[in-house]
Amino acid sequence: MITLLLDNKQVIIKNGTSIKLTRENPFFTGSGDYTLDVTLPLAGCKQNLEVFGMLHFAPVSHKPLATKKFSFRLLTELLQLEGQAVITNVTHEEVKIQLLSGNSALNLNALGDKGEQYIDELDLGNAYGELWDKNYTGSRYYTRQTAENTATWLASLPKSRRNALIHGTREETDCVCFPIYSLADEAFSNEHGVNHWGGIENNFWVNVGENYSLKHPTDSFPDDGDARATLSWSYGSGVCVAPQPYLSFVLERILLALGFVLDKRHNALHTKFGRVFVANARHTVRIAECLPHWTIDEFLKELKNLFGVYVFVEGTRAIVKTRSDYFEGNTIEIHHAVSEHTTDIDDEGEQQDTTSGNVAYAFTEAMPRILNIGEDAYEKMDIIRVKTLQEAETAFDEMTGEERVASNVLFYVENTGKRYASLSIEDEWQLCEVDQVGPLFRDDDFEIDTELKIIPAATSRDIVTKRYQYVEKPNDRRDIYMVGATYPSDGYTGNDGGLNGGYHIPYLVTADSRNPQTGMLWSLHEAIVNETDTDAEENPKQEVMEIGVVSTANYVSDYLVGEGAYQVQSIVSAPYAVGVPYMVEDGLMVVSSLLERANDLDFRNTETKTGEVMQGNLNIDTRVVRQISFTDEVCDPNAIYLINGRKYLCQKIELTLDTDGVQPLKKGYFFEIE
């Protein structure tokens, strides 16, 4: 017995109808459950006419059917499905529909009415909506928020909420706001500054770091003899505010826009990569404008490639699992397999994920060349494989000075995957590590098989953090002003890892613009007279999505202030973000590592989270598909199956339903786990 409900109304299935149901495993195919045509009578069937109306009458327009969707529930003794039903054919006697459930319903909604939807065109809401709701419940002001008036309401937030705005966890906020430098505009978004003589909290300052007391002459300002240095964030006139949404939040909003609810507790992207955010530099409050122009399918594919997460849909509820979570599912044993089975061999088949082949980030020009020498370098250089670094050092020591200068050799150390080349450091040719964030090579050909379009942003601290301090104006008012990027040279000594004075807090770097993308109207006059195309986009978006990671520890920067008896050490301890866990400083060759603080995105390191993703869990040979028919009362394509003593993952299961229920014989398509 089967029961079918459309929009919560039971409908009658045509007598003798046989429903072909296919249940696919989203892990392999990206699809879920779907049927072939299901026939429902119209003429003389009042129950069905109440759902569809008079579709079988000629005067009734069928145009609305092109986008019409019905929610459905299919109930049988073996399984229950819910999802979307679409009309495929209408005659004067009957209507035919197709049922789509699980990830098949997700794919349908992802197409939208135009056949394709892009994540930056969805209504994903505004930044900091959750933070606003926690402080201004019931207020309608937020719905009118713009990039220009953002600072107005930020200033009214309690201090703890302002801290959350800059560097709060996903439990505290939906976006962060770390400094990021735009190479395209040669300017910062979310620029931080050091606020001397501390304690100031008004519309221009947000405290984001710890306060440290400083020894200071008692006859100098401030009157209480206590001075502080705090890291602050400036906003207001002329300041570019660029919210940076957490990536897990972006996924939740995209699925919600498609009609599926994803609770963060069931979102593996949140539980495992919850500190990862979109490194947006654009001056906007719309979440969608922070994202690249990708289709929904592209976005989900890139999440799978880098983070190893998969979206599974059940009804209107979404669940995100990691590959390891999926492989830890229940095992079902098949006891009643039909002895006859066939095997299809696909010579082109292979495991379709980043656990095999050569994998690389699709870095932009913002990434320093020493950190990512590029695929073309491997085509032009003489690559020598060595087992250990010691072998490379021995070979380099045997080179003459002229050979080192002319060397086009790249040493590839097999036991670590690190690469070394001859570079000139301070007029001396040395063996230096290069390509620290270059590809992960598994094959000997050094050709890239999978290029990741979600990439970590570059990280730097070259530009000194700006300093602000109180001054006394002629009207005896104490006010603040910016004294520029460095301290005056007289009487001040830098004490920050050999850098040229001042505080140097790490920041992200992007090749993207700070300005939102805007369209231009097409002009016939320009097209005829000047032969120019004026409908191009201004500030076009990058083809990649840059991301950062909120560090688990503060960054401490110190600086000696004053001279003689009044010289004191000023210290700022600040939250910061990291893209790639390396910074190139003092030119091009000195690389400092932030690996001990934030290395989630270094997928060549097997001990990192993305490194674990690249290792995979099971060895699956998708070239061999075993078709096995069985009569057991099971039909879950997401389970692990034990058949005749061997373990299999299921690609799909085909069933037949009629008015009596699910027919006993089913056919499964399986990949053996080696």
Side-chain angles (χ1 to χ4, degrees):
M1 182 69 181
I2 61 174
T3 301
L4 177 61
L5 295 91
L6 298 180
D7 288 348
N8 292 320
K9 296 179 180 179
Q10 185 172 348
V11 295
I12 304 300
I13 301 174
K14 183 179 179 180
N15 287 332
T17 295
S18 180
I19 303 174
K20 301 296 184 181
L21 171 64
T22 301
R23 309 200 68 194
E24 293 192 0
N25 186 341
F27 181 83
F28 293 108
T29 68
S31 296
D33 308 319
Y34 57 90
T35 68
L36 298 182
D37 287 345
V38 179
T39 304
L40 309 176
L42 288 178
C45 185
K46 180 180 178 181
Q47 199 164 336
N48 289 354
L49 290 174
E50 290 180 356
V51 174
F52 296 102
M54 308 298 285
L55 291 181
H56 59 311
F57 283 173
V60 178
S61 172
H62 292 173
K63 186 176 181 179
L65 301 181
T67 58
K68 177 65 176 176
K69 300 175 185 176
F70 300 88
S71 63
F72 86 85
R73 291 178 62 201
L74 180 67
L75 309 176
T76 76
E77 72 279 4
L78 181 60
L79 76 159
Q80 297 185 14
L81 300 178
E82 59 178 299
Q84 302 282 338
V86 294
I87 297 176
T88 60
N89 184 262
V90 178
T91 70
H92 67 284
E93 292 288 340
E94 58 194 25
V95 58
K96 294 182 179 180
I97 63 173
Q98 182 183 27
L99 307 180
L100 302 165
S101 179
N103 282 54
S104 293
L106 171 63
N107 295 339
L108 175 68
N109 290 358
L111 292 176
D113 297 339
K114 299 179 181 179
E116 200 77 87
Q117 289 194 90
Y118 293 86
I119 59 175
D120 61 334
E121 296 176 354
L122 298 174
D123 182 6
L124 306 180
N126 288 352
Y128 297 117
E130 293 183 0
L131 194 62
W132 176 271
D133 292 340
K134 290 176 181 178
N135 292 275
Y136 304 101
T137 304
S139 172
R140 296 183 179 180
Y141 174 76
Y142 183 75
T143 61
R144 301 192 301 273
Q145 181 195 359
T146 65
E148 286 66 32
N149 67 21
T150 299
T152 304
W153 70 266
L154 295 182
S156 62
L157 289 172
K159 179 180 177 181
S160 61
R161 296 303 185 195
R162 278 179 273 157
N163 289 342
L165 176 140
I166 304 294
H167 58 85
T169 65
R170 177 65 189 92
E171 283 70 25
E172 296 172 315
T173 182
D174 48 55
C175 299
V176 288
C177 212
F178 285 100
I180 182 168
Y181 186 79
S182 166
L183 295 178
D185 300 332
E186 297 183 344
F188 274 100
S189 294
N190 310 329
E191 185 171 15
H192 286 178
V194 176
N195 172 23
H196 272 269
W197 322 116
I200 182 169
E201 293 177 12
N202 57 31
N203 289 3
F204 295 96
W205 308 97
V206 179
N207 174 19
V208 299
E210 298 294 333
N211 293 339
Y212 286 83
S213 296
L214 305 176
K215 181 180 179 181
H216 196 80
T218 55
D219 59 348
S220 299
F221 182 82
D223 295 334
D224 60 7
D226 184 34
R228 298 177 182 274
T230 63
L231 190 68
S232 300
W233 177 65
S234 173
Y235 58 84
S237 177
V239 176
C240 183
V241 179
Q244 297 157 336
Y246 276 111
L247 190 56
S248 61
F249 169 71
V250 170
L251 176 57
E252 292 165 14
R253 279 299 177 93
I254 288 175
L255 290 174
L256 185 62
L258 298 179
F260 304 97
V261 177
L262 173 61
D263 190 300
K264 65 168 66 78
R265 295 171 299 178
H266 301 132
N267 183 358
L269 192 62
H270 167 68
T271 56
K272 192 165 185 177
F273 297 97
R275 295 185 293 117
V276 176
F277 62 88
V278 179
N280 170 55
R282 296 189 179 236
H283 184 42
T284 179
V285 293
R286 294 186 63 244
I287 297 296
E289 290 181 354
C290 302
L291 307 178
H293 189 62
W294 290 354
T295 65
I296 295 166
D297 184 64
E298 283 181 289
F299 175 66
L300 297 180
K301 176 184 176 182
E302 293 301 326
L303 288 182
K304 179 184 69 173
N305 282 345
L306 179 57
F307 302 107
V309 295
Y310 296 77
V311 177
F312 296 87
V313 168
E314 299 175 0
T316 59
R317 184 171 68 102
I319 300 174
V320 177
K321 297 181 180 180
T322 64
R323 187 183 296 116
S324 58
D325 290 337
Y326 175 80
F327 288 139
E328 292 172 359
N330 294 330
T331 299
I332 297 175
E333 184 172 3
I334 295 295
H335 298 282
H336 306 290
V338 176
S339 57
E340 295 83 5
H341 61 271
T342 61
T343 301
D344 292 341
I345 298 180
D346 176 13
D347 293 332
E348 301 298 324
E350 60 182 11
Q351 191 168 340
Q352 300 296 319
D353 57 39
T354 49
T355 60
S356 62
N358 299 333
V359 183
Y361 282 123
F363 284 120
T364 69
E365 61 270 24
M367 190 58 55
R369 190 65 183 266
I370 190 174
L371 297 180
N372 180 58
I373 62 177
E375 188 176 5
D376 59 335
Y378 288 89
E379 299 174 356
K380 299 174 182 178
M381 298 190 72
D382 181 13
I383 302 173
I384 298 178
R385 289 179 174 271
V386 294
K387 295 186 180 301
T388 64
L389 174 58
Q390 185 177 1
E391 289 185 37
E393 292 173 337
T394 300
F396 182 78
D397 291 340
E398 294 174 352
M399 291 181 180
T400 65
E402 292 181 354
E403 289 174 334
R404 293 180 182 182
V405 173
S407 173
N408 196 35
V409 171
L410 180 70
F411 293 100
Y412 183 86
V413 182
E414 293 180 338
N415 67 346
T416 63
K418 294 184 177 182
R419 303 106 208 229
Y420 297 85
S422 178
L423 300 177
S424 177
I425 306 295
E426 297 180 350
D427 297 327
E428 179 182 356
W429 288 88
Q430 304 175 23
L431 185 66
C432 301
E433 183 181 358
V434 297
D435 212 29
Q436 287 89 337
V437 294
L440 169 64
F441 290 117
R442 298 186 178 98
D443 301 333
D444 294 339
D445 57 12
F446 291 103
E447 295 181 358
I448 305 305
D449 299 303
T450 304
E451 198 169 46
L452 306 175
K453 294 171 67 177
I454 296 180
I455 64 172
T459 309
S460 180
R461 61 174 185 177
D462 276 351
I463 301 177
V464 69
T465 307
K466 288 183 178 179
R467 182 172 71 94
Y468 306 83
Q469 75 174 46
Y470 277 117
V471 296
E472 295 193 25
K473 291 189 174 182
N475 58 4
D476 294 330
R477 289 184 55 197
R478 292 169 179 170
D479 209 341
I480 58 173
Y481 81 122
M482 182 181 71
V483 297
T486 60
Y487 282 86
S489 58
D490 295 338
Y492 296 94
T493 305
N495 184 28
D496 189 12
L499 297 176
N500 298 320
Y503 303 99
H504 289 261
I505 308 299
Y507 54 87
L508 302 179
V509 181
T510 180
D512 201 14
S513 172
R514 302 191 309 165
N515 302 311
Q517 178 175 277
T518 57
M520 300 174 62
L521 294 177
W522 185 79
S523 169
L524 178 61
H525 174 81
E526 291 293 329
I528 294 175
V529 177
N530 298 321
E531 297 184 354
T532 58
D533 182 9
T534 59
D535 63 349
E537 297 287 346
E538 288 186 340
N539 307 312
K541 293 186 175 182
Q542 299 185 116
E543 295 182 359
V544 298
M545 174 190 287
E546 290 175 306
I547 56 175
V549 181
V550 180
S551 176
T552 56
N554 279 11
Y555 188 87
V556 178
S557 181
D558 61 340
Y559 187 74
L560 292 181
V561 182
E563 57 183 323
Y566 299 122
Q567 189 176 78
V568 295
Q569 186 179 40
S570 174
I571 302 175
V572 170
S573 175
Y576 73 106
V578 174
V580 295
Y582 299 94
M583 298 182 294
V584 178
E585 300 173 339
D586 292 344
L588 295 177
M589 300 305 178
V590 179
V591 177
S592 61
S593 172
L594 292 166
L595 278 175
E596 72 280 4
R597 306 189 183 195
N599 61 347
D600 288 353
L601 305 180
D602 182 13
F603 61 71
R604 277 169 38 186
N605 185 342
T606 58
E607 297 182 356
T608 68
K609 292 179 179 179
T610 52
E612 293 175 0
V613 171
M614 299 297 160
Q615 300 310 303
N617 300 84
L618 296 177
N619 188 10
I620 310 166
D621 187 359
T622 58
R623 293 174 299 178
V624 180
V625 184
R626 300 181 68 88
Q627 301 178 20
I628 302 175
S629 298
F630 57 92
T631 58
D632 299 67
E633 293 294 309
V634 293
C635 62
D636 183 3
N638 300 317
I640 298 175
Y641 283 85
L642 183 64
I643 306 174
N644 296 327
R646 294 181 176 273
K647 276 193 173 183
Y648 297 88
L649 287 179
C650 181
Q651 182 192 43
K652 62 180 179 179
I653 295 177
E654 296 173 343
L655 310 89
T656 301
L657 292 73
D658 55 29
T659 52
D660 294 327
V662 180
Q663 294 184 6
L665 188 63
K666 311 165 191 70
K667 179 185 287 187
Y669 297 74
F670 301 93
F671 298 127
E672 186 172 354
I673 302 172
E674 298 179 356

